[in-house]
């Protein structure tokens, strides 16, 4: 059968949505990308979305923006995508997605892309579709722009602790602040204060296909171990399910037992496994 790789266009988007519908939690990155295009005032184009077509039918997709994300890729599709990535060289900061797909793709480009800074091969993907049975912290609320001076240092600290590099490095401080401001303005940022002290925050980084993916969960270090995280996360889930999407999801490193225990206590259940390959 004849196959080809080409960028998606408006005529293949319905096929892309069919792939998303097979597993919205797994494919919420792609769903969010397509929904972003729907909001554009201009005719949408998708140069960052490569499709693997077999006899004209879309079988797999590779997202090629700041992060490389394989979507429903078969072995042969990954081989074809890897050939393109090997020719172009590394331009992305990570490969992330379903563990089998992401790790296999990495194995096919590692020789030409150079060493990874870190490979996180087992990241449980967890989801909730109903409110937690745990106590909900009524002090958790949507953040607003007046929170930015407290929120920005917390976001930088969390990102640096999680990823291993500062999001403001190499002159990126302004862009990162703009990104956090967008999340705040879009009601995708949550905070909790004790008096005037910010002690908890979380964001929703991606919304698509009825799935809101939580990121950036952080408790101020001196307040950890004091029972803040479970009721605070229960409150975040309640707000998400009421206002943003019918499914709240996140993924977490398997070695982060504290976070895993928190999410399980709130009511999250593992539904998939991701892997992330990080580059310097």
């Amino acid at each position: 059968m004849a196959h080809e790789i080409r960028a998606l266009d408006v005529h293949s988007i319905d096929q892309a949505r069919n792939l998303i519908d097979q597993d919205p939690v797994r494919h919420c990155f792609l769903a969010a990308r397509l929904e972003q295009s729907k909001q554009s005032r201009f005719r949408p184009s998708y140069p960052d979305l490569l499709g693997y077509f077999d006899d004209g039918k879309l079988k797999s997709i590779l997202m090629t923006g700041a992060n490389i994300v394989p979507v429903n890729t078969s072995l042969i599709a990954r081989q074809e995508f890897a050939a393109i990535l090997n020719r172009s060289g590394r331009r992305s900061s990570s490969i992330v997605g379903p563990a089998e797909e992401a790790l296999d793709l990495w194995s096919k480009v590692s020789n030409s892309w150079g060493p990874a800074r870190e490979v996180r091969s087992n990241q449980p993907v967890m989801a909730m579709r109903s409110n937690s049975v745990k106590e909900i912290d009524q002090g958790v609320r949507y953040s607003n722009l007046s929170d930015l001076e407290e929120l920005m240092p917390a976001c930088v600290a969390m990102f640096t602790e999680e990823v291993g590099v500062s999001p403001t490095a190499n002159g990126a401080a302004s862009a990162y602040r703009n990104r956090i401001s967008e999340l705040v303005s879009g009601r995708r940022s949550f905070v909790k204060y004790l008096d005037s002290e910010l002690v908890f925050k979380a964001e929703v980084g991606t919304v698509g296909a009825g799935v809101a993916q939580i990121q950036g969960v952080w408790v101020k270090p001196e307040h950890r171990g004091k029972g803040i995280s479970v009721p605070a996360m229960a409150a975040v889930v309640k707000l998400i399910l009421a206002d943003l999407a019918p499914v709240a999801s996140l993924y977490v490193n398997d070695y982060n037992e504290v976070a895993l225990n928190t999410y399980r206590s709130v009511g999250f259940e593992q539904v998939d496994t991701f892997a992330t390959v990080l580059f310097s």
Side-chain angles (χ1 to χ4, degrees):
M1 292 187 293
H3 66 267
E4 64 174 336
I5 291 181
R6 56 179 169 83
L8 299 194
D9 56 26
V10 293
H11 304 294
S12 49
I13 290 307
D14 284 343
Q15 294 186 66
R17 293 195 177 100
N18 289 337
L19 292 183
I20 293 168
D21 289 343
Q22 294 174 18
D23 194 332
V25 173
R26 172 176 279 203
H27 300 318
C28 68
F29 292 126
L30 176 60
R33 168 67 180 87
L34 297 188
E35 290 181 16
Q36 180 184 46
S37 293
K38 283 170 56 178
Q39 299 168 8
S40 173
R41 293 176 298 170
F42 306 100
R43 180 180 176 86
S45 62
Y46 309 93
D48 57 321
L49 301 180
L50 296 180
Y52 175 89
F53 293 83
D54 197 342
D55 279 350
K57 295 181 180 179
L58 179 64
K59 299 293 187 180
S60 305
I61 297 171
L62 190 72
M63 300 180 66
T64 62
N67 304 304
I68 298 291
V69 182
V71 177
N72 199 54
T73 57
S74 62
L75 177 60
I76 187 171
R78 290 193 294 274
Q79 289 172 337
E80 298 283 349
F81 287 141
I84 293 173
L85 296 175
N86 281 322
R87 289 195 297 269
S88 65
R90 182 176 71 82
R91 301 174 182 174
S92 303
S93 60
S94 74
I95 301 172
V96 59
E100 179 182 358
E101 299 179 49
L103 295 174
D104 184 54
L105 188 62
W106 164 234
S107 74
K108 291 173 168 47
V109 301
S110 57
N111 287 340
S112 65
W113 278 27
R117 178 166 58 83
E118 186 177 355
V119 178
R120 300 177 178 180
S121 59
N122 183 2
Q123 296 177 303
V125 179
M126 311 181 84
M128 286 183 68
R129 292 171 170 81
S130 59
N131 285 327
S132 177
V133 299
K134 297 291 186 178
E135 178 186 1
I136 292 174
D137 188 336
Q138 301 299 328
V140 173
R141 60 169 173 82
Y142 287 106
S143 63
N144 55 61
L145 292 177
S146 68
D147 295 307
L148 269 180
E149 296 311 311
E150 294 286 337
L151 188 57
M152 274 298 298
C155 289
V156 171
M158 186 280 153
F159 188 102
T160 305
E161 181 179 346
E162 171 69 17
V163 179
V165 295
S166 171
T168 62
N170 302 315
S174 179
Y176 187 66
R177 185 182 179 91
N178 288 342
R179 171 59 178 161
I180 300 303
S181 297
E182 288 175 0
L183 293 175
V184 171
S185 298
R187 290 172 63 83
R188 295 188 183 184
S189 170
F190 311 90
V191 292
K192 172 184 171 60
Y193 286 81
L194 289 177
D195 297 323
S196 61
E197 182 182 16
L198 179 66
V199 297
F200 169 88
K201 67 95 182 171
E203 294 89 44
V204 168
T206 300
V207 180
V211 178
Q213 189 176 92
I214 302 166
Q215 66 178 30
V217 179
W218 175 88
V219 174
K220 195 170 185 178
E222 49 266 48
H223 289 275
R224 293 173 187 175
K226 297 181 178 180
I228 289 175
S229 59
V230 170
M233 280 300 296
V236 168
V237 169
K238 181 179 179 180
L239 290 169
I240 286 172
L241 298 185
D243 299 335
L244 292 178
V247 180
S249 179
L250 53 82
Y251 62 101
V252 58
N253 296 313
D254 64 322
Y255 53 78
N256 193 342
E257 286 293 339
V258 173
L260 280 167
N261 289 336
T262 292
Y263 301 143
R264 290 172 182 144
S265 295
V266 173
F268 283 92
E269 296 182 351
Q270 184 171 354
V271 296
D272 204 347
T273 303
F274 274 9
T276 301
V277 182
L278 295 165
F279 304 101
S280 299

